[in-house]
Amino acid sequence: MENGKCNGDATVKLPEIKFTKLFINGQFLDATSGKTFETIDPRNGEVIGQIAEGDKEDVDLAVNAARQAFDHGPWPRMTGFERARIINKFTDLIEQNIEELAKLDALDGGKLLQLGKLVDIPAAAGHFRYYAGAADKIHGETLKMTRPNLFGYTLKEPIGVVGHIIPWNFPSIMFAMKVAPALAAGCTMVVKPAEQTPLSALFYAHLSKEAGIPDGVINVVTGFGSTAGAAIASHMDIDKVSFTGSTDVGRKIMQASATSNLKKVSLELGGKSPLLIFDDADVNKAADLALLGCFYNKGEICVASSRVFVQEGIYDKVVEKLVEKVKDWTVGDPFDPTSRQGPQVDKKQFEKILSYIEHGKNEGATLLTGGKAIGDKGYFVQPTIFADVTEDMKIYQDEIFGPVMSLKKFTTVEEGIKCANNTKYGLAAGIVSQNIDLVNTVSRSIKAGVIWVNCYFAFDLDSPYGGYKMSGNCRDSGMDALESYLQVKSISMPLHNSPWM
């Protein structure tokens, strides 16, 4: 059976496209310019619909709505308990619409429908539920001042108007990961979804209105990064930008902040994550983790374990097992429940992945399996495994964001750690070993923000997520994310005639 076999088209009722306009101040509106852009079905390259193309003028309108809602509206002035009640109602509506939201992400982004229903949309709802629970637990501290006769305390206040620029690989989870803690903190916001996957963000905006979130609190401006995204990054009346995407764009956002109003910037950027498999690992389990880590979501995930390092004692066995198991990694229509991998998000990403595969071949890596496009329509790529990869190769150093694995053998623990750290990125890493002392040494030696031991993609709502080095400067999830949408105010006053200090 050929590696990366492709199943046929699935027979399923596609979702109705109900929302295609900008969502500003509680209303769906055409772009000021009247322009639209096409959103494409990656299964076949056909047009799904025409989406309003927001630009600087539309961002200005959205920011003004968010500013009015923050400065004069009820949202930041509600008790945390009341905000929590409304966020929970929003969550209820998300859970009632799991099927439709999952279909929108499958149609727009090529994501597997089954995983959307089981993982992505429930995870999005989970984020809102988690931060609803935190909304009434935001508080400052009473300070033990060092100066006599002085009383002090701190307040934690919402940071203000936030611009969220979210990526296309996990449209629903990223929407929730950014919006939920900002809502709980009492912020108002402008969300720019990726131009490749705008549909679910607009549906979430509709649900937020139904839930009773006041007008102007959530605004969604669809459009392109170079126009709408740039307008958010440089806007003088946005207090913070939260961005998930490439390191190159992250740099531009930091520069825009520096040359505008020095707004706070949270960046979750690229990765080239290592998976280290040591000699004492179970070969079958290690191979399963390697395939999952690299090929899940068609490799379009910033923490993909695209660099797999295997200790020499079991290297040949792991390689043999990977080649055997990948034959059953079915590529096909994301609406088909038998598919394990759908199409890449668009033609540009599809062609980028294929070009990196050609680089791997030309630079001398050994192609073990895959390496080709599948079919004559859509953007399907075979899961691809290269061996004999060296550290100077592009497929080793660059974030491909596709189903391409690089295998490398190592001998000693020290060599494995050195290989893992030989990257400009530091987002995540995996370790497969039964030796707790080795695991402790390696996990503390790898320069990455997230370490998974004998598992992969072990995300949790309570676990902070973010990177070291050029993988960014923020933490999403957990209470750390909530703190990033708050600012601390210190208040001091004289204390007269107190019996104690």
Side-chain angles (χ1 to χ4, degrees), residues 23-27 29 61-62 65-66 68-69 209 214-219:
F23 185 77
I24 297 176
N25 205 25
Q27 302 295 320
L29 307 171
L61 291 173
Q68 291 299 313
K209 174 86 171 179
D215 293 349
V217 173
I218 296 177
N219 304 275

Side-chain angles (χ1 to χ4, degrees), residues 90-108:
F90 184 25
T91 310
D92 292 340
L93 291 173
I94 293 170
E95 291 173 341
Q96 291 166 23
N97 288 273
I98 284 176
E99 179 87 17
E100 187 159 6
L101 285 161
K103 284 183 175 180
L104 289 173
D105 283 348
L107 181 65
D108 217 12

Side-chain angles (χ1 to χ4, degrees), residues 238-316:
I238 287 179
D239 301 301
K240 173 189 168 81
V241 169
S242 179
F243 169 76
T244 294
S246 73
T247 299
D248 287 344
V249 174
R251 280 198 187 97
K252 293 178 181 178
I253 290 172
M254 291 198 80
Q255 290 167 353
S257 169
T259 57
S260 56
N261 62 342
L262 288 175
K263 60 179 65 65
K264 294 183 182 296
V265 177
S266 292
L267 303 174
E268 194 269 282
L269 306 176
K272 193 70 177 175
S273 299
L275 176 67
L276 282 85
I277 301 172
F278 289 91
D279 279 343
D280 65 335
D282 178 277
V283 169
N284 193 61
K285 179 179 179 180
D288 285 338
L289 286 176
L291 291 175
L292 174 70
C294 190
F295 299 146
Y296 182 79
N297 202 54
K298 8 133 185 180
E300 292 175 348
I301 181 167
C302 48
V303 292
S305 60
S306 52
R307 296 184 302 141
V308 177
F309 303 99
V310 186
Q311 201 163 14
E312 62 179 356
I314 60 170
Y315 178 83
D316 291 340

Side-chain angles (χ1 to χ4, degrees), residues 24-37:
I24 297 176
N25 205 25
Q27 302 295 320
F28 283 102
L29 307 171
D30 291 320
T32 303
S33 66
K35 291 182 180 179
T36 62
F37 66 95

Side-chain angles (χ1 to χ4, degrees), residues 410-475:
F410 71 94
T411 303
T412 65
V413 173
E414 293 72 21
E415 181 188 358
I417 293 169
K418 183 179 179 181
C419 289
N421 286 331
N422 184 21
T423 173
K424 62 186 177 182
Y425 299 112
L427 190 50
I431 302 168
V432 188
S433 172
Q434 302 306 311
N435 184 331
I436 188 63
D437 294 327
L438 184 149
V439 164
N440 281 327
T441 297
V442 176
S443 61
R444 286 162 172 75
S445 300
I446 293 177
K447 297 174 183 176
V450 180
I451 308 292
W452 291 309
V453 178
N454 295 323
C455 59
Y456 212 80
F457 300 134
F459 296 107
D460 189 87
L461 296 170
D462 204 41
S463 181
Y465 165 72
Y468 288 9
K469 300 191 283 187
M470 292 177 69
S471 288
N473 62 2
C474 75
R475 292 297 179 269

Side-chain angles (χ1 to χ4, degrees), residues 41-72:
D41 183 344
R43 300 176 305 158
N44 48 36
E46 296 176 2
V47 176
I48 299 169
Q50 298 289 332
I51 309 298
E53 184 182 334
D55 207 332
K56 181 181 183 303
E57 291 77 10
D58 304 292
V59 169
D60 287 341
L61 291 173
V63 173
N64 182 64
R67 175 55 63 191
Q68 291 299 313
F70 186 78
D71 288 350
H72 306 292

